[in-house]
Amino acid sequence: MILYLLDLLGVGVFAVSGALAAGRKSLDLLGVAAIAIVTAIGGGTLRDVLLDNAVFWIQNPIYLVVILFSAALTLIYTRFRQPPAKALLIADALGLAFFAISGAQGVEQADLSRIIVVLMGTITGVAGGVMRDVLLAEIPLILRRGNLYATAAIAGIIVYLILQQFGMMRSLAALLGMATITAVRLASIVWGLSLPVYSLQERK
């Protein structure tokens, strides 16, 4: 039940970030819906395809209802109020936290190795945002300097797995894993934290 709720929260928050991104590009209503859907289900779809599982939103279309409802609420809200400047990044950070941990939990149930759990959880969290940015002709957040994006997902999933290894309840470990992802991502946004840059200087 908790995993299902995390999935619904993840698609809802990512749908908001997709709708906001589409609005900044002045897309029509169909375009907003398309970007919201791609953002929300892209990562989970890629995960299911790689693992040869039934695609989650085809099995349960309620995900599409949640996405469209969240996008519609975003359109209504922004019609009357100007969203904060960093609203897209904050919504994206929350969606990343929800989806990365729920993705890791889903893979964990398949009894795969820990490194695959981390990898698939990260893909679940970041792939939808990458698809959104590519469709909107933006440099994906995962590739922008000064942004700990995939790194935040990896850190949170590792915290989640380690806490369970030390005997913590799965639900509490999941909450702390999500908190880690959100904290790292928001710290990156506020203070511009980033990984060291590798620069290769070739001889002339």
Side-chain angles (χ1 to χ4, degrees), residues 19-199:
L20 290 172
R24 291 183 177 179
K25 291 291 186 176
S26 300
L27 300 189
D28 62 20
L29 293 180
L30 182 59
V32 172
I35 296 298
I37 290 171
V38 167
T39 307
I41 66 174
T45 301
L46 181 57
R47 173 202 63 210
D48 289 342
V49 169
L50 288 173
L51 294 175
D52 198 26
N53 292 335
V55 178
F56 71 104
W57 56 270
I58 294 178
Q59 293 292 105
N60 187 1
I62 190 64
Y63 288 100
L64 296 177
V65 175
V66 171
I67 292 166
L68 295 175
F69 180 73
S70 300
L73 283 181
T74 304
L75 291 175
I76 293 170
Y77 177 83
T78 54
R79 179 75 175 175
F80 299 100
R81 288 179 177 271
Q82 184 73 19
K86 294 188 181 295
L88 172 58
L89 294 176
I90 293 171
D92 201 72
L94 294 173
L96 177 65
F98 288 132
F99 248 26
I101 296 300
S102 70
Q105 288 184 316
V107 177
E108 195 179 24
Q109 292 177 347
D111 199 28
L112 297 173
S113 68
R114 292 288 183 258
I115 191 168
I116 299 300
V117 172
V118 173
L119 177 61
M120 290 299 165
T122 302
I123 287 174
T124 305
V126 307
V130 172
M131 295 177 189
R132 174 200 64 210
D133 293 339
V134 169
L135 288 173
L136 294 176
E138 297 279 352
I139 298 174
L141 283 173
I142 193 175
L143 299 178
R144 296 181 201 176
R145 292 181 61 179
N147 278 281
L148 297 178
Y149 195 68
T151 305
I154 292 169
I157 296 169
I158 290 174
V159 166
Y160 162 71
L161 293 175
I162 289 175
L163 291 176
Q164 283 194 97
Q165 197 69 31
F166 281 97
M168 182 174 287
M169 289 178 55
R170 190 166 183 250
S171 57
L172 183 55
L175 289 174
L176 292 176
M178 287 188 288
T180 300
I181 294 171
T182 305
V184 172
R185 181 73 190 115
L186 293 181
S188 171
I189 294 170
V190 174
W191 293 303
L193 302 180
S194 63
L195 293 175
V197 174
Y198 172 66
S199 181

Side-chain angles (χ1 to χ4, degrees), residues 5-28:
L5 291 176
L6 285 179
D7 265 347
L8 291 178
L9 284 171
V11 297
V13 175
F14 262 151
V16 170
S17 76
L20 290 172
R24 291 183 177 179
K25 291 291 186 176
S26 300
L27 300 189
D28 62 20

